[in-house]
Every structure is written in C-alpha cells, then in structure tokens.
Amino acid sequence: MTTSQMPGIPDKIYFTIGEVAKLCQVEPHVLRYWEQEFSQLNPSKRRKRRYYKRDDVILVRKIKRLLYEDRFSIKGARRQLEGNAIQVSQSERKKTRIKSAINDLESVLKDLG
C-alpha cells in the first residue's frame, strides 16, 4: 500500500508507537530504528513510552515514501529531509524580505500621497 492509500490521521495530540505503526503500516521496531537514523524523528518519551505528535506521523509517512516508494537509501532519505528543511528556511527568508519590501513601498506611497 502506498503512502497515499494509508488511513487518515485521527485528530489527536499524541499517538503511541503502536498507533503510529498501524497508521503508517510499519512495525514498531522499524519506527525505533528510524528514530536512530533520522534526527528529525524524535517523539517525546515519558515513563519509558514514546508519544508521537501529528507532525511525527506525517514525517514517518514521508520517510516511508522516500525509502519504500522512491527507493532512497537511509543516507539518501536523510539528505532529502535535510534538503527540505533548508528549502523551507530559504523560503521563509524570502517571504520576510518580500514583506519588508512591501512595507517599504507602502511607506513610500504614503509619503507621496
């Protein structure tokens, strides 16, 4: 089953490792292994139990897609995820610069009008 055919993610704050395993259709030991390999996957741990957030579930599905569907190695999938983080931060910087330019232009328009 591809990641696009997986069940929807319930509207909850925290998920146990068993719930995430079912939602992402991987075994719990695979999730524990991925936690070691992907620094972005870091569920909170309380009383020796893992609690994943919705973003973690989405990340697990992304990792699964990269590994099983796109056929990346662990190292390649790690690079892809790191590249996405870089793209997001660059995108945020561009948005900030654009907003600043808009504010400057609005200020000039006020002065002219």
Side-chain angles (χ1 to χ4, degrees):
M1 181 178 284
T2 64
T3 52
S4 61
Q5 298 170 325
M6 287 189 205
I9 302 171
D11 191 22
K12 291 174 55 174
I13 296 174
Y14 293 105
F15 300 87
T16 65
I17 193 168
E19 291 171 323
V20 175
K22 285 180 185 173
L23 288 170
C24 299
Q25 297 165 342
V26 295
E27 295 295 322
H29 69 270
V30 172
L31 293 172
R32 288 188 292 272
Y33 174 70
W34 287 353
E35 287 173 23
Q36 295 171 6
E37 295 297 324
F38 298 95
S39 60
Q40 302 93 331
L41 184 58
N42 190 17
S44 59
K45 295 173 186 157
R46 285 177 280 186
R47 293 188 222 139
K48 298 184 180 184
R49 298 192 97 187
R50 288 168 166 79
Y51 293 97
Y52 294 80
K53 293 182 181 176
R54 181 180 194 83
D55 289 343
D56 294 323
V57 177
I58 293 167
L59 178 60
V60 168
R61 288 182 171 188
K62 188 178 291 187
I63 292 169
K64 182 179 179 184
R65 180 183 50 78
L66 288 169
L67 296 174
Y68 296 175
E69 293 173 29
D70 298 342
R71 311 294 281 165
F72 280 95
S73 64
I74 294 279
K75 189 175 181 179
R78 199 179 301 128
R79 279 194 208 129
Q80 286 291 312
L81 291 174
E82 289 167 358
N84 286 344
I86 291 168
Q87 288 175 351
V88 168
S89 65
Q90 288 174 344
S91 174
E92 291 300 317
R93 279 183 279 178
K94 285 180 184 176
K95 285 180 188 177
T96 302
R97 285 193 302 243
I98 290 170
K99 286 179 183 178
S100 176
I102 289 171
N103 288 338
D104 291 346
L105 289 172
E106 287 175 342
S107 176
V108 169
L109 280 174
K110 270 186 188 177
D111 291 345
L112 291 174

